[in-house]
Amino acid sequence: MKKQPFYKTLIALPARMMWVMGTLLLAVVIFSSGFKNSGSEMDVAEKDSIASVNAFMDVYKVLMSPRCMNCHPAGDQPLQGDDSHIHTMNIQRGIDGKGISALKCANCHQPENAEGLHAPPGNPNWHLPPANMKMVFEGKSARELALQLMNYNKNGHKNKAQLLEHANDGLVKAGWAMGPERTPPPLSYEAFKTAWTTWINTGAYAPKQ
């Protein structure tokens, strides 16, 4: 068998190296693409716009009930009662959301519900949102409220984990324990927490309206 001249071997070597390198590069691209697609599919699987919006509509029903909305008014005065009338005694929000001067929230709203019909409901941390982050619920559409809740600069500077944990806040839970004369939110606390968690974990999508 006749040997190939050495110079021809040198000429052919780069071509062979390019073929090998090209094959390796193609394998890397295919592998990377497969890995990326796998991750993307996992991300998509975790998000579900329909489930998220449906869950938020349940959340919205609760947040717009008097038990929640009364402490998230459009103005600087809290609301009262199932009819959400302006709080008596000219109570004001104050800078920290806890009232002003001698009319502090804690003066009447003690750590526990006061005894007697229509007596002030209680919680150790009773307050409105502060003046610099009012978190208004009153008058908001479902879309407006969802977008506000997920806006870090409008929701009290809460990230996803903090929003999820907020459902466990004692003042949130107080909405379901304000006395038999006050209509509770339209969902149980457990159902609300499930809807809240589902909304956030499936993408925190906002309804179209």
Side-chain angles (χ1 to χ4, degrees), residues 5 17 26-27 32 35 41 78 81 118 153 155 168 175 177-178 197:
M17 290 180 65
L26 180 61
S32 299
F35 182 79
E41 289 170 2
H118 301 294
N153 293 319
N155 70 4
N168 298 315
M178 292 190 182
T197 302

Side-chain angles (χ1 to χ4, degrees), residues 3-14 16:
K3 272 190 172 184
Q4 182 173 314
F6 182 70
Y7 73 89
K8 289 188 176 181
T9 301
L10 290 177
I11 294 174
L13 186 59
R16 290 175 184 171

Side-chain angles (χ1 to χ4, degrees), residues 72-75 93 129 133-140 145 148:
H72 291 267
R93 182 189 303 274
M133 194 76 67
K134 293 183 179 182
M135 276 300 297
V136 175
F137 291 1
E138 184 184 9
K140 297 282 186 180
L145 190 49
Q148 176 179 266

Side-chain angles (χ1 to χ4, degrees), residues 166-209:
H166 189 60
N168 298 315
D169 186 275
L171 193 53
V172 172
K173 292 180 178 180
W176 282 265
M178 292 190 182
E181 72 276 14
R182 297 179 177 90
T183 303
L187 298 179
S188 69
Y189 168 72
E190 291 75 16
F192 164 74
K193 184 176 178 180
T194 296
W196 176 260
T197 302
T198 299
W199 171 56
I200 295 173
N201 281 339
T202 52
Y205 287 90
K208 292 183 178 180
Q209 298 181 340

Side-chain angles (χ1 to χ4, degrees), residues 21-33:
M21 290 177 65
T23 302
L24 289 173
L25 181 61
L26 180 61
V28 170
V29 170
I30 292 173
F31 177 80
S32 299
S33 177

Side-chain angles (χ1 to χ4, degrees), residues 43-59:
D43 290 343
V44 171
E46 292 174 356
K47 293 185 177 182
D48 186 332
S49 60
I50 295 176
S52 188
V53 168
N54 287 341
F56 183 75
M57 293 312 297
D58 283 337
V59 169

